[in-house]
Amino acid sequence: MSIRRRKAVLYILVAGFMIVLIGVLLFLWIYFSSMREMHQTTRNFYEQSFTVSNAAQALESQLHQIRSDLLYATLIQADSVHLINTVAAIKGHEAAAQQKIASIEHNYSGDRAPLPLLKQNIQALDEMTASVIKQLAEGQYAEASTLIETAWNARFAKVAKLNEAILAHADLRANEYVAESEKRMERHTHQGITYAALLVTLFLLVGLFVGGRIYHLHLEADKFAFTDFLTGIANRRHFIHELESEIRRYQRYGSSFSFAMVDIDFFKKINDQYGHHAGDLVLQNFCLRCVSALRTSDMVGRLGGEEFGILMPMTDLHEAAHVIERLRSEIDHSVMSEQGEQIHYTASFGLVSTAQLGTQDGLTQLMKMADFALYTAKQQGRNRVYIANH
């Protein structure tokens, strides 16, 4: 493989690899960006619902603790020292309750109408708690117990109802989170499959492109390796290779073939009179006539300059002479035109077949016999077919 051809293949492979690499990186970026966004959204849904639910439960627990402290102080008819401790505990519960309300207010995503009502009722409940503590401090234990059992419990029931509504909404949001998470996961899976399909398609297209380009380069390389660039027929190396293969088949299996060496008559004179471009056109015209006149099994090759070879497999001397004479006659009766000039040319042929070869004769002997036959054809006046050893 030539350096130029290797570079071309390398460039194509590198270009294909870069396209696939860009596709893979794009796929990974889109996929993981989507995954991160999905996880972030899911996390927000979950944390908000979880925070509201915990805060609502903790709020209700703090209110229950305040009620228990009040009832216990009323039951034991707490003295001043015990009452101070009870008030301190209640203040702590109230502060914790306010924190939970703030947390609910910050994370709650439903209808916000219950939040002001909840805060109002909590404030009213704090005021009633202060009234109960005042009565306890004055020793009015019966009145304090009655206030707790009536107005305080009624207000607590309103707070609990509002709190239950908030808790129910948090549970609903949690269920929605599960459903939304499943939908997002399904959508993300579909997107992943789609991106993967696009990536595979891209890979196949790049593979086809790279394979096509490499195949095209191989075809061009084969064409340059086996054909003559001017005439488009087999070059000397390829023609000699096929001729040697035919000789080996003859030596092994005895299969007959014929070979003709051809030379265009007075070709130098054509170049001198009409120019080298006209000479090239004559060579091309000669090859076209050979291809059209010969059989598909026959092969024409350029041996050098205006000298050509014709290989006719599975053809005896008689049949080969008929084919070559028909070709010679067709060339002799044709005239080609170039820039208003009428150019007529002829060709001489030296023909040899396996009938004139010994079983041990090889390429050198064959070429020598054909070349001598061609020389004889020229000596006898050109524009004729001469058979070796005749």
Side-chain angles (χ1 to χ4, degrees), residues 318-371:
H318 177 75
E319 185 180 1
H322 176 74
V323 171
I324 296 300
E325 177 57 32
R326 184 180 62 197
L327 173 61
R328 187 208 61 78
S329 176
E330 182 176 331
I331 293 172
D332 185 31
H333 290 84
S334 65
V335 177
M336 58 173 291
S337 178
E338 167 61 15
Q339 296 182 351
E341 295 282 350
Q342 302 295 317
I343 302 175
H344 171 258
Y345 68 93
T346 59
S348 300
F349 299 81
L351 179 62
V352 62
S353 75
T354 52
Q356 291 118 314
L357 284 178
T359 55
Q360 300 302 317
D361 291 336
L363 176 65
T364 303
Q365 181 63 22
L366 179 71
M367 296 290 288
K368 183 183 296 186
M369 293 174 63
D371 187 59

Side-chain angles (χ1 to χ4, degrees), residues 21-208:
L21 180 61
I22 292 172
V24 171
L25 293 177
L26 181 63
F27 166 73
L28 292 176
W29 179 75
I30 294 174
Y31 184 83
F32 284 107
S33 296
S34 177
M35 180 69 77
R36 184 178 63 179
E37 180 184 358
M38 184 190 73
H39 280 302
Q40 186 64 39
T41 305
T42 300
R43 181 180 177 185
N44 291 339
F45 282 157
Y46 177 78
E47 287 184 349
Q48 288 177 352
S49 300
F50 183 75
T51 302
V52 170
S53 179
N54 281 349
Q57 293 176 5
L59 174 62
E60 190 168 348
S61 176
Q62 295 297 331
L63 296 178
H64 276 292
Q65 193 64 46
I66 293 173
R67 182 175 179 274
S68 298
D69 290 344
L70 291 175
L71 287 174
Y72 182 72
T74 302
L75 181 63
I76 65 172
Q77 297 182 359
D79 56 17
S80 58
V81 176
H82 193 279
L83 186 59
I84 290 173
N85 293 333
T86 301
V87 170
I90 289 174
K91 291 298 182 182
H93 295 318
E94 288 178 345
Q98 290 299 326
Q99 292 178 356
K100 301 306 177 185
I101 291 173
S103 179
I104 291 173
E105 190 174 19
H106 179 72
N107 294 284
Y108 188 66
S109 59
D111 183 12
R112 304 187 71 83
L115 295 180
L117 294 176
L118 179 64
K119 294 173 70 175
Q120 292 173 8
N121 281 278
I122 291 292
Q123 185 177 1
L125 201 58
D126 290 344
E127 293 173 355
M128 289 183 184
T129 300
S131 298
V132 172
I133 292 173
K134 182 179 180 182
Q135 290 176 345
L136 289 173
E138 293 173 353
Q140 301 175 8
Y141 300 111
E143 290 80 355
S145 179
T146 301
L147 183 59
I148 294 172
E149 295 295 337
T150 55
W152 199 97
N153 281 349
R155 185 64 64 178
F156 176 76
K158 290 182 179 180
V159 172
K161 185 176 180 180
L162 292 170
N163 199 49
E164 286 296 330
I166 292 172
L167 187 59
H169 180 268
D171 292 339
L172 177 63
R173 288 298 295 161
N175 292 331
E176 289 178 352
Y177 143 71
V178 173
E180 181 69 19
S181 179
E182 290 177 351
K183 289 181 180 179
R184 284 177 174 270
M185 183 60 70
E186 183 179 356
R187 184 165 60 250
H188 189 70
T189 301
H190 289 164
Q191 289 176 349
I193 294 174
T194 302
Y195 293 148
L198 290 175
L199 184 60
V200 170
T201 302
L202 174 64
F203 179 79
L204 291 176
L205 291 176
V206 171
L208 290 174

